[in-house]
Each structure stands twice: as C-alpha cells, then as structure tokens.
Amino acid sequence: DLKQHVNTFKKLSPSEVFNFGKFVVDTFMCSHTEFEKKLLMNMFDNGMTVVLLDGVDEVAPTYKEHILNAIESFKKDSKKKNQLWVSTRVHYEKDLEMSLEVLSSKIVPFSEENQIKLLLDVVNQKENNSLSMDLAKTFIHRISVVHYSRGSEYIGMPLQIRMIGEVYQDHP
C-alpha cells in the first residue's frame, strides 16, 4: 500500500532521477539478507520484475509529484521487460494517464449474477450457514441501493462481496 511509504518518497527530490531498483532494495529490504537483496537487484537489472504501486490516489496531494517522479524514474531506469502496475480509483485515472502517457486498463465489476453467485459461495462455505438465492438477490440489490451513486461498481468488486459475505457468515 503506497500511502504507508509516503515518508520514504518524501525524501526524494521531485525532479531527481534515480536508480529505481537500488532505491527499492535499499529502502524496503532492510531486514532481508544480502542474498535476497542481490537477487532482487539482479532480477530488476535483467528486466524480470513486476512492481505494483497500490493506492496512488490515497497519497496526499502534496506528495503526488514525488510519487509521479518515482514512476518516471522507474520508466527511465527500467529495462523494457520490467513492468509497473499502478492501482487507483477512477477519479485519479485521467491524471495518471496524462502524467504517465499511458492508457489505463479497468477491472470490470461483476455482473449481478456473478455477485449473487460469489455471495452464496462465500456464505455457504461455512457449516450450518445457508443463504437462499432470493435472499442473496435482495441483499445485493439493497447494498446497491445504499451505494446508489456507485451502485453495482461498489458491490461489483469481489473483495467487497467477500467481506460482506464473511460478515454475514459470522452474523447470519
């Protein structure tokens, strides 16, 4: 989760280009062995890494420039085979596309049918729990109404459905 590491990115100059692989190893792998550090650095140098920056939209606006600089450094420093994935909510999507000069991909929310199926699977996996199809449909519909501004987008994410199902498991 990127917002947990904002203090690290704050230390960087917003315009400084740096060795991203070395930065990751030196900053985030302090408690790892030298072998692990060298292995990761070797993988990075040979274009064999995938870096995920999660929660870019959750970083305070005053540090966005620092994060974007880190991403730019990755792009400049990285071999073509290294991959960078950035996750954000929809409201920050266009800003990132313009800043990074890339097109985004979206996770498509589950259909109502898939939402109901997942909810049933999660709830009914626990012994002595039974959720009927009709109750699952009603449940999904009511949550969509409560979150009417985002509706099926909110409840359409598997994580949201799983969390709701797990709460229901414990308190049917």
Side-chain angles (χ1 to χ4, degrees):
D1 189 357
L2 196 55
K3 68 182 175 184
Q4 294 174 355
H5 303 291
V6 165
N7 287 332
T8 303
F9 287 101
K10 264 193 327 193
K11 296 174 190 171
L12 301 172
S13 163
S15 59
E16 175 187 357
V17 176
F18 54 91
N19 180 312
F20 193 87
K22 184 173 177 356
F23 170 74
V24 168
V25 169
D26 292 347
T27 307
F28 302 113
M29 296 191 68
C30 299
S31 62
H32 291 77
T33 67
E34 282 305 309
F35 172 75
E36 291 169 320
K37 292 176 185 179
K38 287 179 182 177
L39 179 63
L40 181 59
M41 198 62 216
N42 184 288
M43 291 174 70
F44 188 83
D45 288 341
N46 289 294
M48 300 167 50
T49 60
V50 176
V51 175
L52 171 64
L53 298 179
D54 183 30
V56 172
D57 58 305
E58 297 173 10
V59 174
T62 52
Y63 303 121
K64 294 252 191 254
E65 192 175 333
H66 291 82
I67 300 301
L68 291 174
N69 176 55
I71 293 170
E72 282 300 319
S73 290
F74 175 90
K75 287 170 54 178
K76 290 176 184 169
D77 183 45
S78 177
K79 305 282 187 237
K80 290 186 186 227
K81 291 185 182 180
N82 285 324
Q83 293 183 37
L84 177 66
W85 290 70
V86 177
S87 74
T88 184
R89 290 187 180 87
V90 175
H91 69 274
Y92 196 55
E93 172 189 5
K94 294 297 177 203
D95 290 340
L96 279 176
E97 283 182 337
M98 289 180 64
S99 297
L100 303 176
E101 298 174 347
V102 296
L103 294 176
S104 62
S105 297
K106 294 180 183 172
I107 298 174
V108 179
F110 273 14
S111 66
E112 184 175 327
E113 180 182 324
N114 287 336
Q115 294 171 26
I116 293 165
K117 182 180 180 335
L118 179 59
L119 182 61
L120 287 168
D121 289 348
V122 170
V123 170
N124 294 336
Q125 73 184 2
K126 191 172 185 178
E127 281 186 48
N128 301 326
N129 269 359
S130 176
L131 182 64
S132 71
M133 178 69 79
D134 288 339
L135 188 54
K137 284 181 183 177
T138 301
F139 202 68
I140 293 293
H141 176 71
R142 285 190 179 167
I143 290 173
S144 294
V145 169
V146 168
H147 293 280
Y148 68 91
S149 65
R150 292 182 284 174
S152 63
E153 249 183 58
Y154 174 80
I155 192 65
M157 295 298 141
L159 177 62
Q160 303 296 342
I161 297 169
R162 179 165 295 283
M163 291 187 320
I164 291 166
E166 288 173 0
V167 169
Y168 186 87
Q169 275 182 333
D170 296 335
H171 308 284

